[in-house]
Amino acid sequence: MPELPEVEVTRRSFADRIAGGRVLSARLGKPLRWPLGCEPAHLAGRTVLGVRRRGKYLLIDLDDGLLLMHLGMSGSVTFSPDPPAPGTHDHFDLVTTRGTLRLNDPRRFGAVVHAPAEDSPVAAKLLGGLGVEPLGPDFDPQAFHAGLRGRRAPIKQVLLAGDVVVGVGNIYASEALFLAGIRPTTSAARISLPRATRLHAAIRQVLAQAVEAGGSTLRDFSNAWGESGYFQLQAMVYDRAGQPCRVCGRAIKRLVQGQRATYYCTGCQS
Ligand SMILES: [Zn+2]
Protein backbone atom coordinates (compact mmCIF):
# COMPACT_ATOMS: atom_id res chain seq x y z
CA MET A 1 0.00 0.00 0.00
CA PRO A 2 1.43 3.41 -0.88
CA GLU A 3 2.22 5.24 2.36
CA LEU A 4 2.98 8.90 2.94
CA PRO A 5 6.58 8.78 1.66
CA GLU A 6 5.54 7.04 -1.55
CA VAL A 7 2.79 9.62 -2.07
CA GLU A 8 5.27 12.44 -1.46
CA VAL A 9 7.77 10.91 -3.88
CA THR A 10 4.95 10.54 -6.41
CA ARG A 11 4.07 14.21 -5.93
CA ARG A 12 7.64 15.32 -6.49
CA SER A 13 7.90 13.14 -9.59
CA PHE A 14 5.31 15.16 -11.55
CA ALA A 15 4.41 18.37 -9.67
CA ASP A 16 6.89 20.62 -11.47
CA ARG A 17 6.25 19.02 -14.83
CA ILE A 18 2.46 19.40 -14.81
CA ALA A 19 2.34 22.89 -13.26
CA GLY A 20 1.25 25.47 -15.81
CA GLY A 21 -0.30 22.86 -18.09
CA ARG A 22 -3.78 23.41 -19.46
CA VAL A 23 -6.26 20.53 -19.25
CA LEU A 24 -7.26 19.29 -22.69
CA SER A 25 -9.50 16.45 -21.55
CA ALA A 26 -10.12 13.95 -18.77
CA ARG A 27 -10.94 10.28 -19.18
CA LEU A 28 -12.54 7.93 -16.67
CA GLY A 29 -12.10 4.15 -16.66
CA LYS A 30 -14.01 1.85 -14.34
CA PRO A 31 -15.53 3.33 -11.17
CA LEU A 32 -13.06 4.08 -8.39
CA ARG A 33 -13.78 4.25 -4.66
CA TRP A 34 -15.61 7.57 -4.99
CA PRO A 35 -17.04 9.28 -8.09
CA LEU A 36 -15.25 12.21 -9.70
CA GLY A 37 -18.09 14.53 -8.74
CA CYS A 38 -18.24 16.42 -12.02
CA GLU A 39 -18.44 15.68 -15.73
CA PRO A 40 -14.93 15.03 -17.09
CA ALA A 41 -15.62 17.70 -19.73
CA HIS A 42 -15.94 20.25 -16.91
CA LEU A 43 -12.16 19.97 -16.36
CA ALA A 44 -11.20 20.92 -19.92
CA GLY A 45 -9.71 24.38 -20.19
CA ARG A 46 -8.59 24.52 -16.57
CA THR A 47 -4.94 25.27 -15.78
CA VAL A 48 -2.96 23.17 -13.29
CA LEU A 49 -1.42 25.57 -10.77
CA GLY A 50 0.53 22.99 -8.75
CA VAL A 51 0.37 19.81 -6.72
CA ARG A 52 0.35 19.65 -2.93
CA ARG A 53 0.02 16.72 -0.53
CA ARG A 54 -2.15 16.38 2.57
CA GLY A 55 -1.71 13.06 4.34
CA LYS A 56 -1.97 10.51 1.56
CA TYR A 57 -4.01 12.79 -0.70
CA LEU A 58 -2.49 14.55 -3.68
CA LEU A 59 -4.15 17.94 -4.13
CA ILE A 60 -3.98 19.02 -7.75
CA ASP A 61 -4.77 22.72 -7.71
CA LEU A 62 -6.59 24.07 -10.74
CA ASP A 63 -7.30 27.71 -11.56
CA ASP A 64 -10.88 26.83 -10.61
CA GLY A 65 -11.28 24.13 -7.98
CA LEU A 66 -8.98 21.19 -7.30
CA LEU A 67 -8.69 17.43 -7.71
CA LEU A 68 -8.08 15.19 -4.69
CA MET A 69 -6.31 12.00 -5.70
CA HIS A 70 -5.84 9.00 -3.40
CA LEU A 71 -3.83 5.94 -4.41
CA GLY A 72 -5.84 3.53 -2.27
CA MET A 73 -4.27 0.09 -1.85
CA SER A 74 -2.64 -0.41 -5.21
CA GLY A 75 -2.66 2.88 -7.09
CA SER A 76 0.28 4.34 -8.94
CA VAL A 77 0.65 7.43 -11.05
CA THR A 78 2.52 8.08 -14.25
CA PHE A 79 3.05 11.37 -16.02
CA SER A 80 4.12 11.22 -19.60
CA PRO A 81 4.03 13.52 -22.61
CA ASP A 82 3.17 10.60 -24.87
CA PRO A 83 1.46 7.78 -22.94
CA PRO A 84 0.40 4.48 -24.50
CA ALA A 85 -3.33 3.75 -24.94
CA PRO A 86 -5.00 3.22 -21.53
CA GLY A 87 -4.78 -0.34 -20.20
CA THR A 88 -7.32 -2.40 -18.23
CA HIS A 89 -6.31 -0.86 -14.89
CA ASP A 90 -5.88 2.76 -16.03
CA HIS A 91 -8.95 4.43 -14.55
CA PHE A 92 -8.22 8.13 -14.79
CA ASP A 93 -6.34 10.26 -17.31
CA LEU A 94 -5.87 13.99 -17.06
CA VAL A 95 -4.58 15.05 -20.45
CA THR A 96 -2.80 18.39 -20.30
CA THR A 97 -0.62 20.45 -22.61
CA ARG A 98 2.38 19.30 -20.51
CA GLY A 99 1.55 15.60 -20.54
CA THR A 100 -0.93 13.02 -19.31
CA LEU A 101 -1.37 12.24 -15.64
CA ARG A 102 -2.61 8.67 -15.36
CA LEU A 103 -3.85 6.70 -12.35
CA ASN A 104 -3.36 2.94 -12.60
CA ASP A 105 -5.22 1.13 -9.84
CA PRO A 106 -5.89 -2.63 -10.20
CA ARG A 107 -7.86 -2.90 -6.95
CA ARG A 108 -9.74 0.41 -7.43
CA PHE A 109 -9.64 1.54 -3.80
CA GLY A 110 -8.12 4.78 -5.05
CA ALA A 111 -10.08 7.81 -6.16
CA VAL A 112 -10.00 11.14 -7.94
CA VAL A 113 -12.52 13.64 -6.59
CA HIS A 114 -13.21 17.13 -7.88
CA ALA A 115 -13.93 19.81 -5.31
CA PRO A 116 -14.78 23.48 -5.93
CA ALA A 117 -12.41 24.55 -3.11
CA GLU A 118 -10.30 23.02 -0.33
CA ASP A 119 -12.77 24.23 2.30
CA SER A 120 -15.82 22.98 0.38
CA PRO A 121 -17.91 20.22 2.01
CA VAL A 122 -16.73 17.55 -0.45
CA ALA A 123 -13.04 18.27 0.28
CA ALA A 124 -13.59 18.78 4.00
CA LYS A 125 -15.24 15.37 4.20
CA LEU A 126 -12.02 13.73 2.97
CA LEU A 127 -9.43 16.00 4.61
CA GLY A 128 -11.25 17.19 7.73
CA GLY A 129 -10.29 14.42 10.16
CA LEU A 130 -6.60 14.36 9.28
CA GLY A 131 -4.02 15.06 11.98
CA VAL A 132 -1.03 17.36 11.66
CA GLU A 133 1.51 16.76 8.86
CA PRO A 134 4.50 14.83 10.31
CA LEU A 135 7.03 16.55 8.03
CA GLY A 136 5.46 20.00 8.37
CA PRO A 137 6.24 22.88 10.75
CA ASP A 138 3.10 22.33 12.88
CA PHE A 139 4.27 18.93 14.15
CA ASP A 140 6.09 19.76 17.38
CA PRO A 141 6.95 17.57 20.39
CA GLN A 142 4.80 19.40 22.97
CA ALA A 143 1.66 19.35 20.84
CA PHE A 144 2.32 15.71 19.92
CA HIS A 145 2.67 14.78 23.61
CA ALA A 146 -0.52 16.68 24.41
CA GLY A 147 -2.33 14.83 21.64
CA LEU A 148 -1.28 11.47 23.09
CA ARG A 149 -2.28 12.29 26.67
CA GLY A 150 -6.00 11.62 26.30
CA ARG A 151 -5.50 8.30 24.51
CA ARG A 152 -5.46 5.02 26.41
CA ALA A 153 -5.04 2.88 23.28
CA PRO A 154 -1.63 1.38 22.42
CA ILE A 155 0.68 3.96 20.86
CA LYS A 156 1.04 1.95 17.63
CA GLN A 157 -2.72 2.09 17.04
CA VAL A 158 -2.94 5.77 17.94
CA LEU A 159 -0.26 6.50 15.34
CA LEU A 160 -2.10 4.48 12.69
CA ALA A 161 -5.42 6.20 13.46
CA GLY A 162 -3.98 9.34 11.84
CA ASP A 163 -5.86 11.94 13.84
CA VAL A 164 -2.95 12.95 16.09
CA VAL A 165 -0.38 12.88 13.29
CA VAL A 166 -1.36 11.89 9.76
CA GLY A 167 0.27 9.41 7.39
CA VAL A 168 2.38 7.30 9.77
CA GLY A 169 1.46 3.94 8.26
CA ASN A 170 2.17 0.44 9.46
CA ILE A 171 5.80 0.13 8.36
CA TYR A 172 6.81 3.56 9.59
CA ALA A 173 5.01 3.26 12.93
CA SER A 174 6.91 0.05 13.74
CA GLU A 175 10.21 1.58 12.64
CA ALA A 176 9.71 4.86 14.51
CA LEU A 177 8.75 3.07 17.75
CA PHE A 178 11.91 0.98 17.48
CA LEU A 179 14.09 4.06 16.99
CA ALA A 180 12.42 5.75 19.96
CA GLY A 181 12.80 2.63 22.16
CA ILE A 182 9.06 2.45 22.86
CA ARG A 183 7.04 -0.80 22.94
CA PRO A 184 4.15 -0.63 20.46
CA THR A 185 1.75 -1.90 23.15
CA THR A 186 2.44 1.03 25.51
CA SER A 187 -0.66 3.10 26.24
CA ALA A 188 -0.25 6.42 24.40
CA ALA A 189 -1.42 8.30 27.47
CA ARG A 190 1.50 6.91 29.53
CA ILE A 191 4.24 8.19 27.25
CA SER A 192 6.25 10.91 28.98
CA LEU A 193 7.27 14.16 27.29
CA PRO A 194 10.91 13.05 26.85
CA ARG A 195 9.76 9.79 25.23
CA ALA A 196 7.18 11.59 23.08
CA THR A 197 9.97 13.94 22.01
CA ARG A 198 12.13 10.97 20.96
CA LEU A 199 9.19 9.44 19.09
CA HIS A 200 8.49 12.76 17.35
CA ALA A 201 12.08 12.88 16.10
CA ALA A 202 11.97 9.20 15.09
CA ILE A 203 8.76 9.66 13.06
CA ARG A 204 10.32 12.54 11.14
CA GLN A 205 13.52 10.57 10.61
CA VAL A 206 11.93 7.40 9.19
CA LEU A 207 9.57 9.32 6.92
CA ALA A 208 12.30 11.66 5.66
CA GLN A 209 14.64 8.72 5.02
CA ALA A 210 11.93 6.91 3.08
CA VAL A 211 11.26 9.99 0.94
CA GLU A 212 15.01 10.20 0.28
CA ALA A 213 15.19 6.52 -0.63
CA GLY A 214 12.23 6.94 -2.97
CA GLY A 215 13.82 9.96 -4.54
CA SER A 216 16.86 7.97 -5.54
CA THR A 217 14.71 5.42 -7.36
CA LEU A 218 12.40 7.97 -8.94
CA ARG A 219 13.06 7.05 -12.55
CA ASP A 220 12.13 3.46 -11.78
CA PHE A 221 9.32 4.41 -9.49
CA SER A 222 6.51 2.13 -10.59
CA ASN A 223 8.82 -0.78 -9.88
CA ALA A 224 9.66 0.59 -6.47
CA TRP A 225 6.25 -0.50 -5.23
CA GLY A 226 6.97 -4.20 -5.74
CA GLU A 227 6.29 -6.58 -2.84
CA SER A 228 9.81 -6.24 -1.41
CA GLY A 229 9.59 -2.43 -1.28
CA TYR A 230 12.87 -0.55 -1.25
CA PHE A 231 12.38 0.76 2.26
CA GLN A 232 11.93 -2.73 3.71
CA LEU A 233 15.44 -3.59 2.60
CA GLN A 234 16.81 -1.29 5.30
CA ALA A 235 14.06 -1.84 7.92
CA MET A 236 15.20 -2.36 11.53
CA VAL A 237 12.15 -4.39 12.62
CA TYR A 238 9.40 -4.33 9.99
CA ASP A 239 8.80 -7.79 8.47
CA ARG A 240 11.84 -9.19 10.34
CA ALA A 241 10.10 -11.58 12.80
CA GLY A 242 12.57 -14.11 14.20
CA GLN A 243 15.58 -12.36 12.71
CA PRO A 244 18.22 -10.87 15.03
CA CYS A 245 17.80 -7.24 16.07
CA ARG A 246 20.37 -5.15 14.23
CA VAL A 247 21.24 -3.42 17.53
CA CYS A 248 21.12 -6.06 20.32
CA GLY A 249 20.82 -9.39 18.48
CA ARG A 250 17.61 -10.58 20.15
CA ALA A 251 14.98 -12.11 17.87
CA ILE A 252 12.47 -9.58 16.53
CA LYS A 253 8.93 -10.29 17.74
CA ARG A 254 5.72 -10.04 15.75
CA LEU A 255 2.27 -9.38 17.15
CA VAL A 256 -1.07 -8.33 15.69
CA GLN A 257 -2.69 -5.08 16.83
CA GLY A 258 -5.99 -4.00 15.30
CA GLN A 259 -5.49 -6.64 12.58
CA ARG A 260 -2.15 -5.11 11.55
CA ALA A 261 1.21 -6.81 12.08
CA THR A 262 3.55 -5.05 14.47
CA TYR A 263 7.26 -5.82 14.83
CA TYR A 264 9.45 -4.88 17.79
CA CYS A 265 12.50 -5.84 19.84
CA THR A 266 12.04 -6.88 23.47
CA GLY A 267 15.59 -5.75 24.23
CA CYS A 268 15.56 -2.29 22.66
CA GLN A 269 11.95 -1.25 23.33
CA SER A 270 10.33 -0.83 26.74
ZN1 LIG B 1 17.21 -4.96 19.97
Side-chain angles (χ1 to χ4, degrees), residues 162-194:
D163 56 336
V164 175
V165 56
V166 71
V168 185
N170 203 38
I171 299 175
Y172 305 104
S174 281
E175 291 295 305
L177 287 165
F178 175 82
L179 285 186
I182 298 171
R183 287 251 178 139
T185 49
T186 306
S187 166
R190 296 179 61 96
I191 293 175
S192 65
L193 178 58

mmCIF file of all heavy atoms in Angstrom, residues 162-194:
data_model
loop_
_atom_site.group_PDB
_atom_site.id
_atom_site.type_symbol
_atom_site.label_atom_id
_atom_site.label_comp_id
_atom_site.label_asym_id
_atom_site.label_seq_id
_atom_site.Cartn_x
_atom_site.Cartn_y
_atom_site.Cartn_z
ATOM 1 N N GLY A 162 -4.200 8.191 12.728
ATOM 2 C CA GLY A 162 -3.980 9.339 11.844
ATOM 3 C C GLY A 162 -4.604 10.646 12.277
ATOM 4 O O GLY A 162 -4.515 11.632 11.554
ATOM 5 N N ASP A 163 -5.232 10.676 13.435
ATOM 6 C CA ASP A 163 -5.861 11.939 13.837
ATOM 7 C C ASP A 163 -4.979 12.772 14.762
ATOM 8 O O ASP A 163 -5.220 13.963 14.954
ATOM 9 C CB ASP A 163 -7.234 11.688 14.487
ATOM 10 C CG ASP A 163 -7.138 10.740 15.672
ATOM 11 O OD1 ASP A 163 -6.182 9.959 15.724
ATOM 12 O OD2 ASP A 163 -8.013 10.796 16.550
ATOM 13 N N VAL A 164 -3.925 12.157 15.338
ATOM 14 C CA VAL A 164 -2.946 12.951 16.090
ATOM 15 C C VAL A 164 -1.880 13.453 15.122
ATOM 16 O O VAL A 164 -1.572 14.642 15.065
ATOM 17 C CB VAL A 164 -2.303 12.130 17.230
ATOM 18 C CG1 VAL A 164 -1.197 12.940 17.914
ATOM 19 C CG2 VAL A 164 -3.349 11.708 18.252
ATOM 20 N N VAL A 165 -1.325 12.525 14.359
ATOM 21 C CA VAL A 165 -0.385 12.883 13.291
ATOM 22 C C VAL A 165 -0.769 12.006 12.098
ATOM 23 O O VAL A 165 -1.039 10.818 12.255
ATOM 24 C CB VAL A 165 1.088 12.696 13.740
ATOM 25 C CG1 VAL A 165 1.372 11.302 14.233
ATOM 26 C CG2 VAL A 165 2.048 13.067 12.613
ATOM 27 N N VAL A 166 -0.814 12.591 10.917
ATOM 28 C CA VAL A 166 -1.360 11.885 9.759
ATOM 29 C C VAL A 166 -0.256 11.146 8.987
ATOM 30 O O VAL A 166 0.905 11.566 8.999
ATOM 31 C CB VAL A 166 -2.088 12.886 8.820
ATOM 32 C CG1 VAL A 166 -1.095 13.800 8.117
ATOM 33 C CG2 VAL A 166 -2.957 12.157 7.818
ATOM 34 N N GLY A 167 -0.615 10.019 8.390
ATOM 35 C CA GLY A 167 0.267 9.414 7.392
ATOM 36 C C GLY A 167 1.387 8.536 7.928
ATOM 37 O O GLY A 167 2.267 8.156 7.179
ATOM 38 N N VAL A 168 1.375 8.216 9.234
ATOM 39 C CA VAL A 168 2.376 7.300 9.768
ATOM 40 C C VAL A 168 1.787 5.891 9.653
ATOM 41 O O VAL A 168 1.061 5.435 10.527
ATOM 42 C CB VAL A 168 2.744 7.628 11.229
ATOM 43 C CG1 VAL A 168 3.879 6.723 11.704
ATOM 44 C CG2 VAL A 168 3.147 9.085 11.356
ATOM 45 N N GLY A 169 2.061 5.244 8.548
ATOM 46 C CA GLY A 169 1.465 3.941 8.261
ATOM 47 C C GLY A 169 2.152 2.815 9.003
ATOM 48 O O GLY A 169 3.020 3.038 9.865
ATOM 49 N N ASN A 170 1.766 1.603 8.674
ATOM 50 C CA ASN A 170 2.173 0.438 9.458
ATOM 51 C C ASN A 170 3.687 0.237 9.528
ATOM 52 O O ASN A 170 4.249 0.008 10.592
ATOM 53 C CB ASN A 170 1.499 -0.808 8.870
ATOM 54 C CG ASN A 170 1.405 -1.924 9.880
ATOM 55 O OD1 ASN A 170 1.152 -1.674 11.062
ATOM 56 N ND2 ASN A 170 1.644 -3.133 9.445
ATOM 57 N N ILE A 171 4.348 0.330 8.391
ATOM 58 C CA ILE A 171 5.805 0.130 8.364
ATOM 59 C C ILE A 171 6.494 1.196 9.209
ATOM 60 O O ILE A 171 7.324 0.900 10.077
ATOM 61 C CB ILE A 171 6.341 0.238 6.921
ATOM 62 C CG1 ILE A 171 5.723 -0.837 6.026
ATOM 63 C CG2 ILE A 171 7.867 0.168 6.899
ATOM 64 C CD1 ILE A 171 6.117 -0.698 4.558
ATOM 65 N N TYR A 172 6.104 2.440 8.963
ATOM 66 C CA TYR A 172 6.813 3.558 9.590
ATOM 67 C C TYR A 172 6.522 3.675 11.077
ATOM 68 O O TYR A 172 7.369 4.111 11.849
ATOM 69 C CB TYR A 172 6.502 4.850 8.823
ATOM 70 C CG TYR A 172 6.847 4.675 7.358
ATOM 71 C CD1 TYR A 172 5.875 4.490 6.401
ATOM 72 C CD2 TYR A 172 8.185 4.593 6.967
ATOM 73 C CE1 TYR A 172 6.203 4.264 5.072
ATOM 74 C CE2 TYR A 172 8.526 4.368 5.643
ATOM 75 C CZ TYR A 172 7.533 4.202 4.694
ATOM 76 O OH TYR A 172 7.863 3.968 3.395
ATOM 77 N N ALA A 173 5.329 3.253 11.498
ATOM 78 C CA ALA A 173 5.008 3.265 12.925
ATOM 79 C C ALA A 173 5.906 2.260 13.657
ATOM 80 O O ALA A 173 6.490 2.576 14.707
ATOM 81 C CB ALA A 173 3.537 2.936 13.145
ATOM 82 N N SER A 174 6.041 1.048 13.114
ATOM 83 C CA SER A 174 6.914 0.046 13.738
ATOM 84 C C SER A 174 8.359 0.545 13.797
ATOM 85 O O SER A 174 9.038 0.408 14.814
ATOM 86 C CB SER A 174 6.886 -1.268 12.937
ATOM 87 O OG SER A 174 5.723 -2.024 13.225
ATOM 88 N N GLU A 175 8.827 1.113 12.710
ATOM 89 C CA GLU A 175 10.215 1.581 12.645
ATOM 90 C C GLU A 175 10.468 2.744 13.606
ATOM 91 O O GLU A 175 11.488 2.799 14.294
ATOM 92 C CB GLU A 175 10.552 1.997 11.214
ATOM 93 C CG GLU A 175 10.609 0.831 10.241
ATOM 94 C CD GLU A 175 11.745 -0.137 10.556
ATOM 95 O OE1 GLU A 175 12.904 0.301 10.630
ATOM 96 O OE2 GLU A 175 11.452 -1.331 10.744
ATOM 97 N N ALA A 176 9.532 3.690 13.655
ATOM 98 C CA ALA A 176 9.713 4.860 14.515
ATOM 99 C C ALA A 176 9.699 4.448 15.991
ATOM 100 O O ALA A 176 10.489 4.957 16.793
ATOM 101 C CB ALA A 176 8.625 5.895 14.233
ATOM 102 N N LEU A 177 8.808 3.518 16.362
ATOM 103 C CA LEU A 177 8.753 3.075 17.752
ATOM 104 C C LEU A 177 10.040 2.351 18.137
ATOM 105 O O LEU A 177 10.523 2.483 19.261
ATOM 106 C CB LEU A 177 7.527 2.174 17.975
ATOM 107 C CG LEU A 177 6.201 2.943 17.995
ATOM 108 C CD1 LEU A 177 5.014 1.999 17.844
ATOM 109 C CD2 LEU A 177 6.069 3.760 19.286
ATOM 110 N N PHE A 178 10.623 1.610 17.202
ATOM 111 C CA PHE A 178 11.907 0.977 17.483
ATOM 112 C C PHE A 178 12.978 2.043 17.733
ATOM 113 O O PHE A 178 13.702 1.994 18.730
ATOM 114 C CB PHE A 178 12.341 0.066 16.321
ATOM 115 C CG PHE A 178 13.718 -0.506 16.513
ATOM 116 C CD1 PHE A 178 13.909 -1.632 17.305
ATOM 117 C CD2 PHE A 178 14.826 0.110 15.943
ATOM 118 C CE1 PHE A 178 15.188 -2.138 17.520
ATOM 119 C CE2 PHE A 178 16.109 -0.398 16.152
ATOM 120 C CZ PHE A 178 16.284 -1.527 16.943
ATOM 121 N N LEU A 179 13.071 3.012 16.841
ATOM 122 C CA LEU A 179 14.093 4.060 16.989
ATOM 123 C C LEU A 179 13.925 4.823 18.302
ATOM 124 O O LEU A 179 14.904 5.239 18.910
ATOM 125 C CB LEU A 179 14.011 5.064 15.829
ATOM 126 C CG LEU A 179 14.559 4.626 14.475
ATOM 127 C CD1 LEU A 179 14.506 5.811 13.511
ATOM 128 C CD2 LEU A 179 15.995 4.123 14.602
ATOM 129 N N ALA A 180 12.675 4.998 18.729
ATOM 130 C CA ALA A 180 12.416 5.748 19.960
ATOM 131 C C ALA A 180 12.530 4.863 21.200
ATOM 132 O O ALA A 180 12.470 5.359 22.324
ATOM 133 C CB ALA A 180 11.029 6.386 19.895
ATOM 134 N N GLY A 181 12.663 3.547 21.017
ATOM 135 C CA GLY A 181 12.799 2.632 22.156
ATOM 136 C C GLY A 181 11.503 2.407 22.906
ATOM 137 O O GLY A 181 11.512 2.112 24.106
ATOM 138 N N ILE A 182 10.372 2.548 22.213
ATOM 139 C CA ILE A 182 9.062 2.445 22.863
ATOM 140 C C ILE A 182 8.335 1.191 22.376
ATOM 141 O O ILE A 182 8.214 0.971 21.165
ATOM 142 C CB ILE A 182 8.207 3.696 22.562
ATOM 143 C CG1 ILE A 182 8.885 4.945 23.134
ATOM 144 C CG2 ILE A 182 6.791 3.540 23.126
ATOM 145 C CD1 ILE A 182 8.228 6.249 22.707
ATOM 146 N N ARG A 183 7.833 0.382 23.315
ATOM 147 C CA ARG A 183 7.043 -0.798 22.944
ATOM 148 C C ARG A 183 5.745 -0.361 22.276
ATOM 149 O O ARG A 183 5.060 0.525 22.786
ATOM 150 C CB ARG A 183 6.676 -1.614 24.182
ATOM 151 C CG ARG A 183 7.816 -2.352 24.754
ATOM 152 C CD ARG A 183 7.702 -3.850 24.545
ATOM 153 N NE ARG A 183 8.905 -4.419 25.124
ATOM 154 C CZ ARG A 183 8.960 -5.515 25.834
ATOM 155 N NH1 ARG A 183 7.840 -6.207 26.053
ATOM 156 N NH2 ARG A 183 10.089 -5.947 26.313
ATOM 157 N N PRO A 184 5.377 -1.020 21.185
ATOM 158 C CA PRO A 184 4.150 -0.632 20.460
ATOM 159 C C PRO A 184 2.873 -0.817 21.271
ATOM 160 O O PRO A 184 1.853 -0.209 20.971
ATOM 161 C CB PRO A 184 4.147 -1.547 19.230
ATOM 162 C CG PRO A 184 5.237 -2.545 19.422
ATOM 163 C CD PRO A 184 6.157 -2.044 20.483
ATOM 164 N N THR A 185 2.933 -1.649 22.329
ATOM 165 C CA THR A 185 1.747 -1.900 23.155
ATOM 166 C C THR A 185 1.564 -0.866 24.264
ATOM 167 O O THR A 185 0.540 -0.861 24.950
ATOM 168 C CB THR A 185 1.853 -3.288 23.805
ATOM 169 O OG1 THR A 185 3.158 -3.403 24.400
ATOM 170 C CG2 THR A 185 1.685 -4.396 22.779
ATOM 171 N N THR A 186 2.526 0.014 24.451
ATOM 172 C CA THR A 186 2.438 1.029 25.510
ATOM 173 C C THR A 186 1.223 1.924 25.291
ATOM 174 O O THR A 186 0.988 2.393 24.179
ATOM 175 C CB THR A 186 3.707 1.912 25.493
ATOM 176 O OG1 THR A 186 4.842 1.072 25.563
ATOM 177 C CG2 THR A 186 3.722 2.893 26.651
ATOM 178 N N SER A 187 0.462 2.174 26.335
ATOM 179 C CA SER A 187 -0.661 3.101 26.236
ATOM 180 C C SER A 187 -0.133 4.488 25.870
ATOM 181 O O SER A 187 0.799 4.997 26.504
ATOM 182 C CB SER A 187 -1.389 3.165 27.575
ATOM 183 O OG SER A 187 -2.270 4.273 27.591
ATOM 184 N N ALA A 188 -0.718 5.100 24.858
ATOM 185 C CA ALA A 188 -0.249 6.416 24.398
ATOM 186 C C ALA A 188 -0.253 7.426 25.538
ATOM 187 O O ALA A 188 0.655 8.248 25.663
ATOM 188 C CB ALA A 188 -1.123 6.907 23.243
ATOM 189 N N ALA A 189 -1.271 7.331 26.393
ATOM 190 C CA ALA A 189 -1.425 8.298 27.474
ATOM 191 C C ALA A 189 -0.279 8.229 28.488
ATOM 192 O O ALA A 189 -0.033 9.172 29.228
ATOM 193 C CB ALA A 189 -2.762 8.066 28.184
ATOM 194 N N ARG A 190 0.438 7.088 28.537
ATOM 195 C CA ARG A 190 1.499 6.908 29.531
ATOM 196 C C ARG A 190 2.873 7.321 29.020
ATOM 197 O O ARG A 190 3.868 7.172 29.736
ATOM 198 C CB ARG A 190 1.530 5.441 29.972
ATOM 199 C CG ARG A 190 0.253 5.016 30.683
ATOM 200 C CD ARG A 190 0.344 3.559 31.077
ATOM 201 N NE ARG A 190 1.445 3.315 32.002
ATOM 202 C CZ ARG A 190 1.304 3.257 33.321
ATOM 203 N NH1 ARG A 190 0.123 3.397 33.856
ATOM 204 N NH2 ARG A 190 2.343 3.029 34.090
ATOM 205 N N ILE A 191 2.939 7.812 27.814
ATOM 206 C CA ILE A 191 4.241 8.190 27.254
ATOM 207 C C ILE A 191 4.631 9.580 27.746
ATOM 208 O O ILE A 191 3.888 10.548 27.567
ATOM 209 C CB ILE A 191 4.201 8.107 25.711
ATOM 210 C CG1 ILE A 191 4.036 6.633 25.306
ATOM 211 C CG2 ILE A 191 5.461 8.707 25.093
ATOM 212 C CD1 ILE A 191 3.870 6.412 23.829
ATOM 213 N N SER A 192 5.800 9.652 28.384
ATOM 214 C CA SER A 192 6.254 10.913 28.981
ATOM 215 C C SER A 192 6.680 11.898 27.890
ATOM 216 O O SER A 192 6.891 11.508 26.732
ATOM 217 C CB SER A 192 7.446 10.634 29.894
ATOM 218 O OG SER A 192 8.540 10.160 29.105
ATOM 219 N N LEU A 193 6.833 13.147 28.264
ATOM 220 C CA LEU A 193 7.266 14.157 27.295
ATOM 221 C C LEU A 193 8.631 13.822 26.673
ATOM 222 O O LEU A 193 8.786 13.912 25.458
ATOM 223 C CB LEU A 193 7.270 15.555 27.931
ATOM 224 C CG LEU A 193 7.743 16.691 27.016
ATOM 225 C CD1 LEU A 193 6.893 16.799 25.747
ATOM 226 C CD2 LEU A 193 7.725 18.034 27.756
ATOM 227 N N PRO A 194 9.619 13.396 27.487
ATOM 228 C CA PRO A 194 10.905 13.046 26.850
ATOM 229 C C PRO A 194 10.772 11.906 25.839
ATOM 230 O O PRO A 194 11.403 11.937 24.775
ATOM 231 C CB PRO A 194 11.792 12.618 28.031
ATOM 232 C CG PRO A 194 11.187 13.268 29.232
ATOM 233 C CD PRO A 194 9.717 13.353 28.959
#
